[in-house]
Amino acid sequence: MSSQTSAAPASPAPGAPRPPGSARRTLAMSVLVSEVCIVLFASLVAFGLRLAEPGVVWAVGGAAMVACAICAGLLRHKLGYVLGSVIQALLLLSGLALPMMFVVGAIFAIIWVVALRVGGRIDVERQERYAAELEYHRTHS
């Protein structure tokens, strides 16, 4: 019988602070999940206005909703943020078919940029605080 070694990280010392989560990822994920609802509502409007055949409207809308959801799951990697930015551009361009989407797409593109910038700043501050807490814990234990 062979034994396998686990590469699991060592558990932190009792009382040590936990590493901070990513505010940038949380905010970006919130934007993408909200966009699933926005795409659903836009698809309903396009369907109601008969802008295209119902199958086309729901295929495009469904694909966009799935893309937003998958992209939200990929935010652990840089690729997720790149694809999220592409989704913002596509949402804005959907205004060519449904003009109100120029406004909605612009609003969500602005929210996306703000989420990435503010989330990044929060992450830097959280890392600084975490490092200080670790140092304090190390020197006072």
Side-chain angles (χ1 to χ4, degrees):
M1 180 161 80
S2 68
S3 67
Q4 291 180 328
T5 58
S6 174
S11 55
R18 285 185 344 181
S22 173
R24 183 178 187 218
R25 184 183 320 148
T26 301
L27 294 174
M29 191 175 298
S30 297
V31 173
L32 289 167
V33 170
S34 297
E35 287 176 341
V36 170
C37 297
I38 294 303
V39 172
L40 173 64
F41 296 139
S43 298
L44 286 168
V45 170
F47 175 75
L49 293 175
R50 296 187 175 114
L51 295 180
E53 291 295 318
V56 172
V57 169
W58 292 113
V60 171
M65 287 185 279
V66 168
C68 288
I70 288 172
C71 186
L74 290 174
L75 290 175
R76 290 189 177 119
H77 311 284
K78 185 177 180 179
L79 176 65
Y81 294 98
V82 172
L83 292 176
S85 297
V86 170
I87 287 173
Q88 303 314 309
L90 293 175
L91 189 65
L92 188 58
L93 286 175
S94 69
L96 295 173
L98 192 60
M100 70 157 190
M101 291 305 292
F102 282 127
V103 175
V104 174
I107 290 169
F108 273 88
I110 291 167
I111 293 170
W112 176 256
V113 170
V114 170
L116 296 184
R117 295 192 68 176
V118 171
R121 277 190 265 165
I122 292 170
D123 287 346
V124 168
E125 292 171 8
R126 283 181 175 177
Q127 285 298 327
E128 290 170 355
R129 179 179 173 147
Y130 176 65
E133 288 175 352
L134 278 179
E135 181 61 25
Y136 177 83
H137 182 73
R138 187 183 64 76
T139 59
H140 290 85
S141 293

